[in-house]
Amino acid sequence: MNEFLAGSTFFGVLFTLLAYYAGVLLKKKLKHPLCNPILIAILLVIAFLIVFDVDYETYNAGAKYLSYFLTPATVCLAIPLYEQIRLLKDNWKAIIAGILSGVLTSILVVFAFSLLFGFDHAQYVTFLPKSITTAIGMGVVEELGGYVSIAVAVIILTGVVGNVLGETVFSVFRITEPVARGIGLGTSAHAIGTARAMELGEVEGAMSSLSIVTAGLITVILAPMFAGLL
Amino acid sequence: MKLLKQFGIILLVSFIGEVLHEVLPLPVPASIYGIILMFAALTTHVIPLEAVSTAGKYLIEIMAVMFIPAAAGLIVSWDMIRAYWVQYLVLMVVSTVVVMVVSASVTQFVIRKGGRKS
């Protein structure tokens, strides 16, 4: 299986799209918030690799072309933000307060749990930038002396958790303002949360995009200050 | 041709982001320079909205799929995670939910206190 697929350029992308499509169909059918297309697709890909004993590198040799579009797609998040610039100007105090409180909360919760679980310094700093976008988070973890490969997994899964649980959290805690929903998703779950925010609405998507940039930059400044705590 | 031109502009902005990432000694990735540049170019009308919006919105729409390959890479780092996976999972889920609740609640509170509706 491995050798056959290693020769294929299109298999990785094709299987990823099929897995995502299966997730979309399942979500339509079951309408359960845990039936999240990204989550289902990830599980299907991992299950496939394990069951058929295919190397991740073999799969990623084709699938990496999907990852290639991540930077241009992130750049495009400026478009909905520009379209909602009026909203940004009207609510800038609330937006700054929300993002800043979110970043500080993230750092404090990670610190508290690291104490509770008895993590060492490297484990603690690996989790510090967990809510910000992968590329910035990796840089922060590397600089502070954490485990970069664990950080990548943690950051991506954090995004998936936010993407999956967002709507449930908003209904339980009565978050009804679209601006607040966008800030919540982007500050806690970076670009993967933003993918969900885009589906909720244009305002949510724009505010979530803004949070990726702002929360990312604030974390770059704050994380080193808190890294010495443990 | 229209879509190709739009995609070209988006790639150009991404490329300038890459150049800035290489030149400036800050831990800021190309995508973040790119998003700031694109926003600045749109607000100053250096790039008109129509010149990027069709291709841009399409890329955003399919963005979720782009994370799947990297997420499946979890399978490679699993050996490093295995020993602590329960603690890691608890920390990840709890902190994500708490951060979401705090940032969204604070934003909503300040909006409503200001008497302004979005």
Side-chain angles (χ1 to χ4, degrees):
Chain A
M1 196 74 173
N2 224 342
E3 280 146 50
F4 171 72
L5 292 179
S8 165
T9 318
F10 304 112
F11 171 75
V13 175
L14 177 66
F15 189 80
T16 309
L17 293 183
L18 285 175
Y20 187 75
Y21 187 60
V24 172
L25 285 184
L26 210 64
K27 186 187 170 150
K28 262 191 191 151
K29 197 142 200 176
L30 297 174
K31 292 188 174 30
H32 190 276
L34 276 180
C35 275
N36 175 286
I38 299 187
L39 182 63
I40 291 167
I42 295 166
L43 295 177
L44 282 175
V45 170
I46 291 180
F48 177 86
L49 298 182
I50 293 172
V51 170
F52 292 96
D53 196 22
V54 176
D55 290 339
Y56 174 73
E57 286 69 27
T58 305
Y59 158 76
N60 200 39
K64 67 171 187 238
Y65 295 106
L66 280 174
S67 316
Y68 166 88
F69 288 100
L70 265 177
T71 297
T74 309
V75 169
C76 292
L77 292 174
I79 297 169
L81 182 58
Y82 168 69
E83 288 176 320
Q84 304 292 338
I85 194 163
R86 187 74 249 158
L87 213 57
L88 170 62
K89 283 181 180 159
D90 286 348
N91 296 297
W92 68 273
K93 277 184 196 158
I95 291 166
I96 295 289
I99 297 174
L100 195 60
S101 63
V103 173
L104 283 170
T105 305
S106 178
I107 291 174
L108 293 176
V109 171
V110 168
F111 178 64
F113 271 88
S114 299
L115 279 183
L116 181 70
F117 292 145
F119 286 177
D120 57 26
H121 174 79
Q123 286 173 307
Y124 164 58
V125 296
T126 297
F127 279 84
L128 267 186
K130 61 175 280 296
S131 278
I132 64 173
T133 194
T134 324
I136 309 186
M138 279 166 66
V140 170
V141 170
E142 197 166 18
E143 192 147 318
L144 300 179
Y147 305 109
V148 175
S149 63
I150 297 183
V152 174
V154 166
I155 292 171
I156 291 177
L157 290 178
T158 292
V160 175
V161 169
N163 186 301
V164 172
L165 296 181
E167 269 178 299
T168 314
V169 167
F170 294 148
S171 81
V172 170
F173 290 89
R174 292 166 208 262
I175 310 291
T176 50
E177 293 282 346
V179 173
R181 289 175 166 221
I183 299 296
L185 274 166
T187 308
S188 64
H190 52 90
I192 307 183
T194 302
R196 191 79 197 87
M198 288 289 174
E199 291 163 16
L200 294 181
E202 284 188 13
V203 173
E204 286 89 336
M207 292 302 128
S208 193
S209 310
L210 177 67
S211 310
I212 299 177
V213 179
T214 318
L217 296 179
I218 295 176
T219 305
V220 166
I221 299 167
L222 290 185
M225 298 181 193
F226 288 86
L229 288 181
L230 198 79
Chain B
M1 247 344 252
K2 185 185 141 207
L3 271 176
L4 197 60
K5 195 177 157 195
Q6 294 202 356
F7 190 56
I9 296 174
I10 293 164
L11 284 187
L12 175 67
V13 177
S14 308
F15 173 68
I16 300 175
E18 275 184 324
V19 172
L20 289 177
H21 172 71
E22 286 298 315
V23 175
L24 300 175
L26 301 169
V28 176
S31 57
I32 298 296
Y33 284 124
I35 194 173
I36 295 170
L37 278 174
M38 181 66 94
F39 185 71
L42 288 169
T43 24
T44 53
H45 304 287
V46 172
I47 297 175
L49 182 60
E50 311 80 60
V52 286
S53 66
T54 315
K57 288 194 172 160
Y58 173 68
L59 280 176
I60 293 172
E61 205 184 303
I62 61 167
M63 195 172 180
V65 178
M66 302 171 191
F67 290 103
I68 297 166
L74 173 68
I75 201 172
V76 179
S77 36
W78 177 245
D79 280 335
M80 289 181 77
I81 294 170
R82 181 180 268 152
Y84 284 94
W85 78 271
V86 179
Q87 288 96 318
Y88 288 175
L89 188 70
V90 170
L91 168 51
M92 218 158 53
V93 174
V94 173
S95 71
T96 306
V97 171
V98 173
V99 172
M100 195 186 291
V101 171
V102 170
S103 53
S105 303
V106 168
T107 309
Q108 181 160 283
F109 176 78
V110 179
I111 289 175
R112 293 195 172 154
K113 203 184 67 171
R116 220 182 260 123
K117 276 283 201 169
S118 53

